[in-house]
C-alpha cells in the first residue's frame, strides 16, 4: 500500500498505535485454551459487562463470532433469517451452510433499515415435517452494505417481543455496534437486552489489529468454547492481542464520533455536486455509500479515477461505491479530499 494514498476502503485498515503496541507488549498472558490468560479473561468480562450479559468469548474474527452464534442458535436443517445484504448472508462465504448445515432466507430493506414487520412476514417457526422451520433472526447494526445504517431501537424492541412469542432467538451482528452506540447515544447494555447472542469487532473502527467477541449467557458461551476449538480458533498466549482490544475500548471508542462527523462532511460535499448519489441525512456513522445507478460510470471506473487522484475506495457492487472514515485519516487528508472530490466527480459524472 502506498502510504501517500488516502485509504477510505474500510475501517479495517487502521494500524495499531505506538501506545496500543506498548500495552500489547507488556500484557500478562497465559494459555487461553486452558482459560488461563488473565488479559483475555479480563477483556471477556469487560465486554460481557458492557452489554449487560453474563459471558463473552474472544474470537479471531467477526465471522467466527457470528458463526459460533449461529451454530448454537440454529440446528442443522433449520433456518436463519436475515436482511438480504447482511454480512452473514453475503460476506461469510456460505459458512453457515458449510459449518452449521443450516439454510438462510432473507428479507429486503432499503439501506438495510430494520422494520420488524418485514421480518415477521417471512419467519416460519415450527413448520412441521415438510417445510424448513425458522429458529433465529440475525440483525446487523450498524448495517454495513446498507451504508452504516443505525437500526431503530423501537423496531428491535417490537421484533424481540413478537418473535419471542414465536419461540425465535435473536442474534446481533454488531461488528460496528460501537458506531451505532456513539451515533444514537443508546447504551450497549440496552442493545444487549434484546439479543440472545451478539458478535462485536475490535478490529474495525476501534483500531485493534485482530479480535472479535461472541457475547451471550454463561450456558451458550460455555458451549461455544469447544466449537471455537473445533473450528481451529483456540488460541494460546493471546492476551498479547486481547490487550489491544482493551486499549481500543478505553481510548478509541470515543474517537468514533469524529469519524462520523467526517463521513457526514464527505457526504455533504458529494451531495452538493450530485444529490442523487447520496442523501447526506442518511449518513449517521462512518460509511458513505454512493448509488451510481443514475449515471453511466460504474463503481469500478470511479474507484479507478479516485485511486489515480490518491483516494482509495471500495466498489462493492456494479453501481455501489463505499467510502469509510476511520482514525488513521488526518485533517490534512480531509482537506485533500475536499480539494479532489468535487472536481473529479464533476468530470466523472458528466460522461453520459
Ligand atoms: C467486518 C464485519 C464482520 C466480520 O468480519 P471479519 O473480517 O470476519 O472480522 C461481520 N459483520 C459485519 C457487518 C462486518 O462489517
Amino acid at each position: 500500500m502506498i502510504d501517500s494514498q488516502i485509504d477510505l476502503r474500510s475501517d479495517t485498515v487502521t494500524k495499531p498505535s505506538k501506545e496500543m503496541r506498548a500495552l500489547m507488549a507488556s500484557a500478562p498472558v497465559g494459555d487461553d485454551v486452558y482459560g488461563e490468560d488473565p488479559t483475555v479473561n479480563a477483556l471477556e468480562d469487560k465486554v460481557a459487562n458492557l452489554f449487560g450479559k453474563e459471558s463473552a468469548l474472544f474470537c479471531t474474527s467477526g465471522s467466527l463470532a457470528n458463526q459460533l452464534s449461529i451454530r448454537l442458535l440454529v440446528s442443522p436443517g433449520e433456518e436463519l433469517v436475515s436482511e438480504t445484504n447482511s454480512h452473514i448472508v453475503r460476506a461469510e462465504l456460505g459458512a453457515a451452510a458449510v459449518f452449521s448445515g443450516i439454510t438462510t432466507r432473507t428479507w429486503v430493506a432499503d439501506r438495510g433499515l430494520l422494520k420488524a414487520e418485514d421480518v415477521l412476514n417471512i419467519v416460519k417457526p415450527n413448520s412441521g415435517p415438510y417445510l424448513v422451520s425458522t429458529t433465529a433472526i440475525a440483525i446487523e447494526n450498524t448495517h454495513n452494505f446498507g451504508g452504516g445504517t443505525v437500526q431503530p431501537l423501537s423496531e428491535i424492541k417490537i421484533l424481540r417481543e413478537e418473535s419471542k412469542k414465536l419461540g425465535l432467538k435473536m442474534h446481533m451482528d454488531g461488528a460496528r455496534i460501537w458506531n451505532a452506540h456513539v451515533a444514537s447515544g443508546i447504551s450497549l447494555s440496552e442493545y444487549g437486552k434484546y439479543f440472545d447472542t451478539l458478535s462485536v469487532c475490535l478490529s474495525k473502527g476501534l483500531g485493534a489489529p485482530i479480535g472479535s467477541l461472541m457475547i451471550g449467557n454463561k450456558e451458550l458461551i460455555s458451549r461455544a468454547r469447544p466449537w471455537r476449538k473445533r473450528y481451529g480458533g483456540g488460541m494460546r498466549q493471546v492476551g498479547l492481542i486481547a490487550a489491544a482490544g482493551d486499549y481500543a475500548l478505553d481510548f478509541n471508542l470515543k474517537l468514533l464520533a469524529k469519524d462520523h462527523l467526517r463521513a457526514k462532511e464527505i457526504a455533504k460535499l458529494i451531495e452538493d455536486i450530485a444529490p442523487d448519489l447520496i442523501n447526506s441525512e442518511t449518513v449517521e456513522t462512518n460509511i458513505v455509500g454512493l448509488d451510481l445507478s443514475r449515471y453511466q460510470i460504474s463503481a469500478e471506473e470511479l474507484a479507478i479515477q479516485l485511486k489515480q487522484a490518491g483516494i482509495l475506495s471500495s466498489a462493492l457492487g456494479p453501481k455501489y461505491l463505499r467510502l469509510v472514515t476511520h482514525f488513521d485519516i488526518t485533517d490534512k487528508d480531509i482537506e485533500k479530499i475536499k480539494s479532489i472530490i468535487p472536481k473529479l466527480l464533476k468530470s466523472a459524472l458528466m460522461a453520459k
Side-chain angles (χ1 to χ4, degrees):
M1 189 45 46
I2 307 156
D3 270 344
S4 65
Q5 285 193 302
I6 302 168
D7 197 344
L8 301 179
R9 286 173 304 165
S10 177
D11 46 10
T12 56
V13 301
T14 46
K15 295 185 181 131
S17 63
K18 218 193 304 175
E19 295 78 16
M20 183 183 272
R21 286 169 193 251
L23 197 74
M24 293 169 76
S26 65
V29 296
D31 190 325
D32 182 48
V33 172
Y34 294 166
E36 290 173 2
D37 189 303
T39 309
V40 172
N41 292 341
L43 179 69
E44 289 176 344
D45 285 348
K46 180 174 183 156
V47 171
N49 278 328
L50 282 175
F51 287 87
K53 293 286 195 211
E54 288 174 353
S55 219
L57 184 68
F58 193 51
C59 293
T60 49
S61 69
S63 296
L64 181 60
N66 278 337
Q67 292 305 323
L68 288 174
S69 303
I70 292 169
R71 158 59 64 180
L72 292 178
L73 298 183
V74 189
S75 297
E78 295 176 345
E79 171 185 81
L80 172 81
V81 296
S82 190
E83 202 278 326
T84 194
N85 282 315
S86 65
H87 194 278
I88 284 174
V89 170
R90 275 194 71 198
E92 296 184 11
L93 303 158
V98 174
F99 297 130
S100 297
I102 70 148
T103 58
T104 48
R105 210 148 42 83
T106 57
W107 72 91
V108 181
D110 184 35
R111 295 191 298 115
L113 192 65
L114 176 67
K115 288 196 205 90
E117 199 189 349
D118 292 344
V119 188
L120 294 166
N121 280 340
I122 69 161
V123 296
K124 295 272 180 270
N126 308 314
S127 285
Y130 304 116
L131 301 173
V132 180
S133 294
T134 314
T135 43
I137 300 163
I139 303 296
E140 190 169 308
N141 196 14
T142 67
H143 196 296
N144 179 356
F145 298 137
T149 310
V150 179
Q151 303 297 6
L153 191 65
S154 53
E155 294 296 316
I156 293 175
K157 277 184 184 173
I158 296 170
L159 186 59
R160 179 59 161 183
E161 226 167 82
E162 295 304 314
S163 67
K164 205 167 190 171
K165 291 180 200 160
L166 303 170
L168 299 170
K169 303 284 189 212
M170 276 174 61
H171 169 69
M172 176 180 279
D173 178 351
R176 293 190 181 81
I177 188 66
W178 321 107
N179 299 83
H181 156 65
V182 167
S184 67
I186 293 165
S187 69
L188 297 169
S189 61
E190 177 67 16
Y191 283 123
K193 275 186 199 167
Y194 307 100
F195 295 89
D196 299 284
T197 55
L198 300 95
S199 67
V200 299
C201 286
L202 304 166
S203 56
K204 304 258 162 101
L206 289 187
I210 308 171
S212 292
L213 291 103
M214 173 191 166
I215 307 164
N217 67 22
K218 262 206 187 90
E219 191 255 342
L220 279 170
I221 297 299
S222 66
R223 281 170 54 211
R225 209 168 274 280
W227 278 107
R228 182 185 65 171
K229 187 77 171 69
R230 206 169 272 129
Y231 286 179
M235 300 175 284
R236 303 295 176 173
Q237 286 72 25
V238 76
L240 290 177
I241 286 165
D246 190 54
Y247 180 95
L249 288 171
D250 286 351
F251 297 101
N252 294 350
L253 179 55
K254 53 181 175 285
L255 304 181
L256 294 176
K258 191 164 186 181
D259 297 349
H260 298 176
L261 284 173
R262 284 169 161 179
K264 190 80 144 183
E265 219 180 331
I266 293 170
K268 279 187 178 150
L269 187 75
I270 294 170
E271 188 180 38
D272 280 348
I273 312 267
D276 45 8
L277 277 190
I278 183 126
N279 173 359
S280 66
E281 301 219 327
T282 63
V283 176
E284 301 167 277
T285 59
N286 66 329
I287 297 177
V288 182
L290 303 183
D291 172 13
L292 291 160
S293 56
R294 290 191 188 83
Y295 292 93
Q296 193 68 34
I297 193 165
S298 70
E300 206 170 327
E301 285 162 345
L302 185 55
I304 290 169
Q305 290 194 22
L306 283 165
K307 188 176 178 184
Q308 283 163 352
I311 300 170
L312 300 178
S313 59
S314 287
L316 292 177
K319 291 284 185 181
Y320 183 74
L321 188 90
R322 190 185 71 175
L323 305 166
V324 186
T325 55
H326 52 78
F327 70 54
D328 281 351
I329 299 294
T330 63
D331 286 335
K332 221 174 110 198
D333 291 337
I334 293 291
E335 288 315 308
K336 209 168 146 194
I337 289 167
K338 280 187 187 162
S339 75
I340 292 170
I341 284 193
K343 247 187 280 172
L344 187 143
L345 269 187
K346 270 181 202 154
S347 82
L349 299 180
M350 240 176 16
K352 284 275 174 194

